[in-house]
Coordinates of all heavy atoms in Angstrom, one line a residue:
Chain B
E101 N -30.4 20.5 -49.1 CA -29.8 19.3 -49.7 C -28.7 18.6 -48.8 O -28.7 17.4 -48.7 CB -29.2 19.6 -51.1 CG -30.2 20.1 -52.0 CD -31.0 19.0 -52.7 OE1 -30.6 17.8 -52.6 OE2 -32.1 19.3 -53.2
I102 N -27.9 19.5 -48.3 CA -26.8 19.0 -47.5 C -26.8 19.6 -46.1 O -26.8 20.9 -46.1 CB -25.4 19.2 -48.1 CG1 -25.4 18.8 -49.6 CG2 -24.3 18.6 -47.4 CD1 -24.1 19.1 -50.3
S103 N -26.9 18.9 -45.1 CA -26.8 19.4 -43.7 C -25.6 19.0 -43.0 O -25.0 18.0 -43.4 CB -28.0 18.9 -42.9 OG -29.2 19.4 -43.2
M104 N -25.1 19.8 -42.1 CA -23.9 19.5 -41.4 C -24.1 19.5 -39.9 O -24.8 20.4 -39.4 CB -22.8 20.4 -41.8 CG -21.5 20.1 -41.3 SD -20.1 20.6 -42.3 CE -18.8 20.3 -41.2
I105 N -23.5 18.6 -39.2 CA -23.5 18.6 -37.7 C -22.1 18.7 -37.3 O -21.2 18.0 -37.8 CB -24.0 17.2 -37.2 CG1 -25.4 16.8 -37.8 CG2 -24.0 17.2 -35.7 CD1 -25.8 15.4 -37.4
F106 N -21.8 19.7 -36.4 CA -20.4 19.9 -36.0 C -20.1 19.2 -34.7 O -21.0 18.8 -34.0 CB -20.2 21.4 -35.8 CG -20.4 22.2 -37.1 CD1 -21.6 22.7 -37.5 CD2 -19.3 22.4 -38.0 CE1 -21.8 23.4 -38.7 CE2 -19.5 23.0 -39.2 CZ -20.7 23.5 -39.5
Q107 N -18.8 19.2 -34.4 CA -18.3 18.6 -33.2 C -18.8 19.2 -32.0 O -19.1 18.6 -31.0 CB -16.7 18.6 -33.3 CG -16.0 18.1 -32.0 CD -14.6 17.9 -32.3 OE1 -14.1 18.1 -33.4 NE2 -13.9 17.5 -31.3
E108 N -18.8 20.6 -32.0 CA -19.1 21.3 -30.8 C -20.6 21.8 -30.9 O -20.9 22.8 -31.5 CB -18.2 22.5 -30.6 CG -18.1 23.1 -29.3 CD -18.0 22.1 -28.2 OE1 -16.9 21.5 -28.0 OE2 -19.0 22.0 -27.4
P109 N -21.5 21.1 -30.2 CA -22.9 21.4 -30.4 C -23.2 22.9 -30.0 O -24.0 23.6 -30.6 CB -23.7 20.4 -29.6 CG -22.7 19.8 -28.7 CD -21.4 19.9 -29.3
S110 N -22.5 23.3 -28.9 CA -22.9 24.6 -28.4 C -22.5 25.7 -29.4 O -23.1 26.8 -29.4 CB -22.1 24.9 -27.1 OG -20.8 24.7 -27.3
A111 N -21.6 25.5 -30.3 CA -21.2 26.4 -31.3 C -22.3 26.6 -32.4 O -22.4 27.6 -33.1 CB -19.9 26.1 -32.0
A112 N -23.1 25.5 -32.6 CA -24.1 25.5 -33.6 C -25.4 26.1 -33.1 O -26.3 26.3 -33.9 CB -24.3 24.1 -34.2
L113 N -25.5 26.3 -31.8 CA -26.7 26.8 -31.2 C -26.5 28.3 -30.8 O -25.5 28.7 -30.3 CB -27.1 26.0 -30.0 CG -27.5 24.5 -30.3 CD1 -27.6 23.8 -29.0 CD2 -28.8 24.4 -31.1
N114 N -27.6 29.1 -31.0 CA -27.5 30.5 -30.6 C -28.0 30.6 -29.1 O -29.1 30.2 -28.8 CB -28.4 31.3 -31.5 CG -28.3 32.8 -31.3 OD1 -27.9 33.2 -30.2 ND2 -28.5 33.5 -32.3
P115 N -27.1 31.1 -28.3 CA -27.4 31.1 -26.8 C -28.6 31.9 -26.4 O -29.2 31.7 -25.4 CB -26.2 31.6 -26.2 CG -25.5 32.3 -27.2 CD -25.8 31.7 -28.5
V116 N -29.0 32.9 -27.2 CA -30.1 33.8 -26.8 C -31.5 33.3 -27.2 O -32.5 34.0 -26.9 CB -29.9 35.3 -27.2 CG1 -28.6 35.7 -26.6 CG2 -29.8 35.4 -28.7
Y117 N -31.6 32.3 -28.1 CA -32.9 31.8 -28.5 C -33.2 30.5 -27.8 O -32.3 29.7 -27.6 CB -33.0 31.7 -30.0 CG -32.9 33.0 -30.7 CD1 -31.8 33.4 -31.4 CD2 -34.0 33.8 -30.7 CE1 -31.7 34.6 -32.0 CE2 -34.0 35.0 -31.4 CZ -32.8 35.4 -32.0 OH -32.8 36.6 -32.7
S118 N -34.5 30.3 -27.6 CA -34.9 29.0 -27.0 C -34.8 27.9 -28.0 O -34.7 28.2 -29.2 CB -36.3 29.1 -26.5 OG -37.2 29.1 -27.6
I119 N -34.7 26.7 -27.5 CA -34.6 25.5 -28.4 C -35.8 25.5 -29.4 O -35.6 25.3 -30.6 CB -34.6 24.2 -27.5 CG1 -33.5 24.2 -26.5 CG2 -34.6 23.0 -28.4 CD1 -32.1 24.4 -27.1
R120 N -37.0 25.9 -28.9 CA -38.1 25.9 -29.8 C -37.9 26.8 -30.9 O -38.1 26.5 -32.1 CB -39.4 26.3 -29.0 CG -40.6 26.1 -29.8 CD -41.8 26.6 -29.1 NE -41.7 28.1 -28.9 CZ -42.4 28.8 -28.1 NH1 -43.2 28.2 -27.2 NH2 -42.3 30.1 -28.0
D121 N -37.5 28.0 -30.6 CA -37.3 29.0 -31.7 C -36.3 28.5 -32.7 O -36.5 28.7 -33.9 CB -36.8 30.3 -31.1 CG -37.9 31.0 -30.3 OD1 -39.0 30.5 -30.4 OD2 -37.6 32.0 -29.6

Side-chain angles (χ1 to χ4, degrees):
Chain B
E101 297 281 343
I102 309 178
S103 288
M104 186 153 171
I105 307 172
F106 296 90
Q107 176 166 357
E108 195 48 69
S110 52
L113 296 170
N114 190 330
V116 300
Y117 290 104
S118 72
I119 300 303
R120 187 186 68 197
D121 290 351

